[in-house]
Amino acid sequence: MKIYQVGGSVRDKLMHQEPHDIDYVVTQSTVEEMLSLGYKQVGKSFPVFLHPETKCEYALARKEIKTGDKHTDFKFIFTPDITLEEDMARRDFTCNAIAMDVESGEIIDCYGGVNDIASRTLRHVNSEHFPEDPLRVLRMCRFAAQLDFKVAPETMELASTMVSKGMLSHLSGERIWQEIYKAMQSKNFDIFITTAKECGALKAILPEVDKLFTTPEKPEHHPEKNSGDHTLLCLKNVALESPKIKFAVLLHDIGKSVTPKDILPAHHYHDRNGIPIISSICNRLRVPNEYRDFAILCCRHHMKLHLASQMRKGTLTDFVDSIGSKDIEDFIKVCHADFYGRQKEISAEEAAFFDRQSNYFRKASSVIKAIKAQDMPNFAKLPKDKNFKDKYREYKINRLTQALKSER
């Protein structure tokens, strides 16, 4: 038997990065031999084994035969005569089709992956096998973002053909979300969006976002001229933030994508229009509730932050309460990305104004957060009836008014 380290861990090693998962391929072996050596079999559709000590994954070299339209519809052949080169041929991109002999440390590069890593190019391994798995289109977009690689023209053309044939319709909402989520963990999530747009995948998986690129903006406010390009600039401003923040930024202006025949004018009411659109997207992709709720919150309220110091104290109290103390800083980051996501220089005066509004809102939030119902005068004697909520709100407004007397 021969053992090779394969896939992303070898790619990461060649790029001088710390690998996350280390996988191995075993040639010239059988299930029986692996079990006799103490490996624990965990694969159902094909033999994958856990090393008895390191618990790393070892898979027998295999070939794949497509049996259906889904990305999981494959029959596997894993006889001992299958070579490393045949196993590598089934992989998606050349940068992931490199192996290292664990004994000698020799790099085995069957498909030019080393050169593609050097040129930072994402290129498919095999034109026959690549289209067999529609998920590879989204993996292409994700790897372009994660690795900051450009996609080879022939690979982009192949992916575009797959999209035009409707192959992405065979992917489940959950699987699409997983790829989006993984891409959001990189600092280049905007590249995922632009790559998906270029090959047509964005229209297939997020048609609402794709429509933003044909939604005009007023050039005096947004020289980028459309809502999609504005969104990309916003995403660049949260490159190092959490996936939850990036998801909210991606959808903060989604209400602008409605057509004129809809109930409310798109731009003037895009905060309201966006709420059902976000709900629909999240239902379709099975997005976690935490992400959905925060995205809706930011869509609904992102145009209010710059008005914080001008609000009546009752309105400000309700505004703070609607955000919730645990989301205040994340909400401000989304608003910050929206404010700076423009193809124009932000003046010192504009930046100072935004900072003042943000700090005013922070101060109001800290005041509201510190107020407890038990602080109310004669709390124990107050009837806890239907009017109690209104009395508690009035108490918070009065406390906030006193605390912000000198702030504007």
Side-chain angles (χ1 to χ4, degrees), residues 284-352:
R284 186 174 74 238
L285 301 184
R286 302 294 188 267
V287 175
N289 292 346
E290 177 188 8
Y291 285 69
R292 178 202 63 201
D293 294 346
F294 184 67
I296 288 175
L297 180 152
C298 292
C299 178
R300 178 186 284 130
H301 297 298
H302 72 276
M303 294 193 297
K304 298 177 182 176
L305 183 64
H306 71 284
L307 301 172
S309 67
Q310 303 170 36
M311 291 179 177
R312 295 176 181 273
K313 296 303 181 288
T315 304
L316 181 59
T317 298
D318 295 339
F319 181 27
V320 170
D321 280 340
S322 67
I323 303 299
S325 58
K326 71 181 180 66
D327 285 326
I328 291 295
E329 288 303 322
D330 286 350
F331 171 72
I332 291 175
K333 288 176 180 178
V334 173
C335 294
H336 180 278
D338 180 42
F339 178 75
Y340 283 95
R342 291 178 278 174
Q343 278 184 348
K344 60 176 287 189
E345 185 176 351
I346 305 298
S347 69
E349 292 77 13
E350 289 175 314

Side-chain angles (χ1 to χ4, degrees), residues 37-72:
L37 293 173
Y39 289 83
K40 180 181 179 181
Q41 185 172 350
V42 293
K44 294 181 179 180
S45 57
F46 57 87
V48 175
F49 304 84
L50 297 182
H51 190 280
E53 296 177 1
T54 66
K55 307 304 179 186
C56 289
E57 289 191 356
Y58 289 69
L60 293 179
R62 66 185 187 271
K63 294 180 182 178
E64 298 176 348
I65 299 175
K66 187 69 173 173
T67 60
D69 293 326
K70 297 180 180 178
H71 80 97
T72 54

